[in-house]
Each structure stands twice: as C-alpha cells, then as structure tokens.
Amino acid sequence: MGIALLLGGFLALMFLRVPIAFALGLSSLATVFYLGLPPLMIAQRMVNGLNSFTFLAVPFFILVGNIMTEGGISDRLVKLADVLVGRLRGGLAQGNVVASTMFGGISGSSVADVASIGSFLIPAMTRNGYPAGYSVAVTVTSSVQGVLIPPSQNMIFYALAAGGLPISTLFIAGYVPGFLLGLSLMVICWIMAVRHGHPTGERYETREALRVAANALVGLFTIVIIIGGILTGVFTATESAAVAVVYALLATGLFYRTLNRAAVGRIFATTLTTLAIVTAIIMTSSAFGFLLSYLRVPALLADGIFAISDNKIFVLLAINVLLLILGMLMDMGVLILILTPILLPIATKVGVDPIQFGIILILNLGIGLCTPPVGTSLLVGCGIARLPLERATKSLLPFYAAMVVVLLLVTYIPALSLTLPTWFK
C-alpha cells in the first residue's frame, strides 16, 4: 500500500498539473504519515539532497549558459559552422548540427540550444527552401548533443543521484557518444539533402573564414577553461564553472560588447528562476528517492526483471524501453533523480559500469526531449516555427532512427563511453 500511495499519489498530482517539486514533496509526506515515520525525516532528506560540494557547480553552469546565450555567442557559432560545413549538400542543415555540437559544449542544455540557435536557424532554413518540419527536426534532435557533450547539468544530477560519481569522468565519457550522435544526424541530413535536392551553402573567402573563426573562438574558449581545467587538475568541476562565469562575462562584455545592464539583469533573473526550480526538485526528489529505497522498490523491480531473464542484453533492452517511454511523459531532470537509485543497481548487477549507465540514461532521456507529448525541446522548436506538433513529428522519424541506433551502440559497446575516461585517469 505504501508503494501505491507514493507512486500513485505522485502520478495523480502530476495528472492534476501540480508542479513536479510539489508533487514529489506531497506524495512523500503523505507516505511518511501512512507508514508512521517521523515527518522530520522528510526535511532531513531534503536538506541532505543539497549537502554536496558537487551541487555548487549547477548554478555556475546555468549562469555560464545564460551569459553565452544572452551575449550572442550562438550566432557566431552558427557562422563558424557555416564556414566549416556550409559547402556540403544541405549545408545549412549540416551547419545546424555542427553549431549545436559547439553550443552544447557551452550551454549544457538541449532546450537552451533550441531556443537560442533555433530562433534564427529555423527561419533561415525555411527561407532557403527547407520544409518547416524538417528545419525543426534537425534543430531539435541535434540539440540533444547538449546533454551529452560537457558541461552537462544533467550529468551533475546523475552524479548526485548515483551517490557522488566523479563529474570529470562523466564529462569525458560523454564526448564520444555526443560526437557520434552528431555524426549520425549529419549523415541523415546528407541523405535527405541528396534525396530532396536541398541547396548547398555559400562559399567563404579565406580571409572572411579566418575572421569568422577568430570571432567565434573567443566564446569557444569557455569550453577549454572548463574541460582543460578539470583534466589538468587545476580546477575541480565546481571551480572551473566559477572561472568560466568570470571569463564569459569578460568575453561578452568586453570583447563582443553585447552585454548591458538590462542584459545582465535578465541573465541573473533567468538563472535564479531556473536554479530555484532545480533546487526544489533536487530536494523533494531526494526525499522521494529515500522512500523508494525504504519500500524496496528497486529490489522489487529487479526481481521482476530477473524473473523474466537475467541476460544482460535483455535487461539493458528492457531498461532502454522503459526509459524511452518515461522520457516521453516526464521531465528529464526529475527522471534522472528518481530513476537512478532504482535502475543503477539493476544495471550494475549485470555488469554495466556506473559511468556507462549514466550515458545510457542521459541519452535515453535526451531522446525524450524530442518526443511528444512532453518533449520540451520539441515544443520549443515547434513554437519558434509556429508549426503543429504532428507535422514536426513526421519529419523527425529518420532522425529518431539514427538516435536509436546510437543509443544501441552506446548500450552494448562500453568502450564508446569508457575509453576516453581510461585515457585521462
């Protein structure tokens, strides 16, 4: 009955459109009263959820992403992407993917990628003869690289939920899957371009190409600070994020001169709003996760799966199917915090490394960001294009296929996630 009250209460409150943090907290509180546990336990678990040095990196990474978005870095990255791949068949679509690769390495957010890059690339692609649904599909699916290529806020959430995995190792593990995803989407773009006769982009003169590259590299150096500082041991993940904030402010304020007082005000207001939501969700999901463990939900789910088969291929396939379904229905960050304590023990029991499982989990839920009915990135992309959801979804099908292929490769070939972290130990 306790499990039914906890999970049923949460789902009922979600169905009634209660904010996720309140749904988690209220269902946890109701379950504590039903079980006769001291209510103070909920408060203690909520506080413990934030009692981590790792969590301090979250506000800094959110702030860096907002500074770069408001500071106009995205349009410079789009120009650089156009210089690099614009001459290919379907060059604007190819450039969209490459721009998302670079911007994802700064913002760490799929939604921020779509909102920033998509705001002018989707209309630009439409003006150049690409169908509106196809323009949305390319922008939305390529934005998933932002949750894999570091710095990724969702990797920090996973590290917290998994009991304190090293952020630097997770960051490095995301590179190969992230680039593999981008490459697979570029292949789909090329195939579609050849089939439908999409145009090539403009050719840049050498001097102009160098000017565009130099202009964009100032913003891209933020990635060098974050990842380089961590890999060399100069900074922890939290310290590198703080240094990156200072650099981003200097780059956008002094070099690009795109920030003013009003822009800085918007940046901090947006950051505080996002951080308040994230903090509330982490706190309440910590209490919710404790009750899941107390009620032995992970063990019961594991017993159910292993009762069917303990074959590693089957177990991972079952986890992937479950994650893809849930990713269509709920927010990514919440699912990471709730599902990690449940599914990670099952995955490790069949020999999956926790780092690899983190990449599998994040990629699964990243696909959910592109999937109706609750795919946040898809909704943002459709809003920019003023396009009905069903029209965009039809155009997404070949890109979904590519993403699922990458997901299966990451699931069943551990080296894709674990080789780079081994090199940098």
Side-chain angles (χ1 to χ4, degrees):
M1 180 62 186
I3 296 175
L5 180 59
L6 181 65
L7 298 179
F10 172 67
L11 293 175
L13 290 170
M14 287 282 293
F15 181 77
L16 295 172
R17 302 284 184 176
V18 174
I20 291 175
F22 289 102
L24 289 166
L26 291 173
S27 58
S28 299
L29 192 60
T31 305
V32 161
F33 280 119
Y34 173 78
L35 296 174
L37 300 173
L40 184 60
M41 181 179 294
I42 292 292
Q44 291 173 335
R45 293 294 168 176
M46 290 173 67
V47 172
N48 286 342
L50 296 180
N51 188 21
S52 168
F53 181 73
T54 302
F55 175 74
L56 292 177
V58 174
F60 290 121
F61 282 127
I62 294 174
L63 185 55
V64 167
N66 288 333
I67 292 170
M68 291 304 199
T69 302
E70 188 73 36
I73 300 299
S74 52
D75 59 340
R76 292 169 173 83
L77 296 182
V78 169
K79 283 190 174 183
L80 177 59
D82 195 32
V83 167
L84 296 174
V85 297
R87 289 173 291 175
L88 299 176
R89 172 69 69 177
L92 198 52
Q94 304 277 12
N96 194 330
V97 177
V98 173
S100 291
T101 304
M102 293 185 289
F103 190 73
I106 295 175
S107 71
S109 168
S110 169
V111 177
D113 188 329
V114 175
S116 180
I117 289 178
S119 62
F120 53 90
L121 259 184
I122 291 175
M125 288 181 67
T126 305
R127 286 194 303 270
N128 280 269
Y130 294 87
Y134 178 79
S135 304
V136 171
V138 175
T139 305
V140 169
T141 53
S142 64
S143 72
V144 176
Q145 295 173 97
V147 301
L148 289 171
I149 298 174
S152 169
Q153 302 159 22
N154 294 288
M155 287 186 181
I156 299 175
F157 297 157
Y158 173 73
L160 290 170
L165 292 175
I167 297 293
S168 57
T169 306
L170 272 170
F171 278 1
I172 299 168
Y175 269 115
V176 172
F179 289 142
L180 182 61
L181 176 62
L183 181 61
S184 70
L185 296 177
M186 291 181 73
V187 170
I188 297 297
C189 288
W190 183 82
I191 293 172
M192 299 295 285
V194 171
R195 180 177 297 176
H196 299 288
H198 294 160
T200 57
E202 63 177 295
R203 184 182 295 271
Y204 287 81
E205 294 182 359
T206 303
R207 181 178 295 180
E208 175 66 9
L210 291 174
R211 187 192 66 80
V212 169
N215 200 23
L217 287 175
V218 174
L220 283 174
F221 192 71
T222 310
I223 304 172
V224 177
I225 292 175
I226 295 172
I227 303 303
I230 293 173
L231 293 181
T232 57
V234 176
F235 307 127
T236 64
T238 302
E239 291 165 348
S240 69
V243 173
V245 168
V246 176
Y247 175 80
L249 284 171
L250 293 175
T252 53
L254 299 181
F255 184 81
Y256 292 130
R257 298 185 181 276
T258 50
L259 290 187
N260 52 36
R261 288 185 179 181
V264 172
R266 287 193 299 271
I267 288 168
F268 281 99
T270 302
T271 300
L272 287 173
T273 301
T274 304
L275 184 60
I277 296 170
V278 168
T279 301
I281 291 173
I282 289 176
M283 292 174 70
T284 51
S285 65
S286 178
F288 190 88
F290 164 75
L291 289 171
L292 287 173
S293 298
Y294 182 85
L295 294 168
R296 298 188 67 251
V297 172
L300 292 172
L301 181 60
D303 290 342
I305 292 176
F306 291 128
I308 301 172
S309 173
D310 60 356
N311 180 272
K312 181 178 180 179
I313 294 175
F314 169 79
V315 171
L316 290 177
L317 186 61
I319 289 175
N320 277 330
V321 172
L322 175 65
L323 289 172
L324 287 172
I325 293 172
L326 292 176
M328 299 179 189
L329 305 174
M330 289 180 61
D331 180 75
M332 181 177 187
V334 177
L335 285 173
I336 290 173
L337 294 167
I338 293 176
L339 294 178
T340 298
I342 298 175
L343 298 179
L344 180 57
I346 299 174
T348 54
K349 192 171 182 179
V350 294
V352 178
D353 188 280
I355 298 296
Q356 182 196 0
F357 181 72
I359 304 301
I360 295 171
L361 175 70
I362 290 168
L363 179 53
N364 264 296
L365 301 182
I367 295 173
L369 294 173
C370 311
T371 311
V374 190
T376 313
S377 297
L378 178 58
L379 294 175
V380 172
C382 288
I384 292 171
R386 299 182 181 179
L387 192 71
L389 193 63
E390 55 272 15
R391 280 185 58 192
T393 303
K394 186 182 295 186
S395 300
L396 281 163
L397 293 178
F399 295 96
Y400 280 144
M403 296 172 83
V404 170
V405 168
V406 173
L407 173 61
L408 293 175
L409 291 174
V410 170
T411 300
Y412 295 113
I413 306 178
L416 293 176
S417 304
L418 302 179
T419 299
L420 273 186
T422 302
W423 288 355
F424 286 99
K425 275 187 178 180

